[in-house]
Amino acid sequence: MYQIEYLEIEEKKQYEEIIKKVVKQCYNEENLEKTKLYISITLTNPKNIHKINKECRNVDKETDVLSFPMFEKEEIETITQKSKIEKEDILGDIVISIEKVKEQAKEYGHSFERELAYMIVHGFYHLIGYDHIEEDEKKEMRAKEEVILNKLGIKRDEIDEE
């Protein structure tokens, strides 16, 4: 379902526990649990995400999360209708700056868990073809993200220290 890579940051069980429950809920919600599609998740620092953003998207700045889908939205819909994919394949890559997750959790006044969970969900929906460029698309994507977080009981107003 997923694999986690750490790129120049310390490995933490807490990150893996959050990722596991969030990815599982995303797969259940979007009927991907019977597929052999998996997500590659890289947790890194601002320097590396900046470098990846510049090399892959020609955007010369750091960011919080990057998503690199391997399928078009229509292909994902076909896969979920079949409920099965014959061979293991990558759904896509998500890259997250853990330092930005910590900063944004403080900035937005909620827990580290909530911010990391949101980054995973946000990245996941990009991988399956959703976007937030147009306002109607943004509303649809945000609604789907909130469904996942609410089903997991991850609220905006719970503050903790990572």
Side-chain angles (χ1 to χ4, degrees):
M1 196 178 297
Y2 65 92
Q3 66 182 31
I4 301 171
E5 180 179 330
Y6 291 87
L7 182 59
E8 296 184 9
I9 66 163
E10 181 184 344
E11 292 184 28
K12 287 201 177 179
K13 187 109 178 116
Q14 175 195 14
Y15 304 159
E16 294 175 27
E17 290 168 359
I18 294 167
I19 291 167
K20 179 180 181 178
K21 72 180 179 180
V22 172
V23 171
K24 184 176 187 214
Q25 187 64 46
C26 289
Y27 270 63
N28 289 341
E29 192 68 26
E30 296 300 332
N31 301 313
L32 291 172
E33 67 273 14
K34 293 179 181 164
T35 70
K36 293 183 179 179
L37 294 172
Y38 69 94
I39 300 172
S40 171
I41 299 170
T42 301
L43 304 177
T44 193
N45 59 36
K47 178 186 80 163
N48 285 323
I49 206 165
H50 183 168
K51 181 180 175 191
I52 294 165
N53 204 16
K54 186 173 183 181
E55 288 174 2
C56 298
R57 299 180 60 239
N58 205 26
V59 177
D60 191 12
K61 68 178 188 173
E62 78 177 59
T63 189
D64 49 7
V65 61
L66 293 170
S67 301
F68 300 99
M70 298 298 163
F71 295 96
E72 295 294 326
K73 189 173 185 178
E74 298 75 28
E75 292 174 296
I76 298 296
E77 289 168 1
T78 301
I79 289 167
T80 57
Q81 288 169 0
K82 288 182 190 175
S83 289
K84 196 173 178 191
I85 188 167
E86 298 304 318
K87 63 180 175 71
E88 187 172 89
D89 204 350
I90 187 161
L91 182 60
D93 300 297
I94 299 172
V95 182
I96 297 172
S97 170
I98 290 295
E99 199 170 304
K100 286 294 273 186
V101 171
K102 291 175 189 176
E103 287 173 18
Q104 289 175 182
K106 285 181 184 174
E107 179 182 336
Y108 300 138
H110 53 246
S111 70
F112 173 84
E113 178 189 30
R114 199 266 178 210
E115 190 64 19
L116 180 55
Y118 177 76
M119 291 297 136
I120 298 296
V121 173
H122 186 78
F124 171 81
Y125 276 106
H126 277 306
L127 294 185
I128 65 168
Y130 288 85
D131 213 332
H132 45 81
I133 296 170
E134 301 295 324
E135 192 57 36
D136 57 331
E137 292 174 341
K138 181 178 181 176
K139 284 180 185 175
E140 182 181 15
M141 186 172 174
R142 294 289 184 259
K144 286 183 162 292
E145 292 166 348
E146 288 302 317
V147 165
I148 300 291
L149 297 173
N150 288 334
K151 284 186 176 182
L152 291 169
I154 300 173
K155 308 290 183 211
R156 287 181 182 266
D157 57 355
E158 296 172 358
I159 300 173
D160 69 2
E161 293 297 318
E162 185 271 329

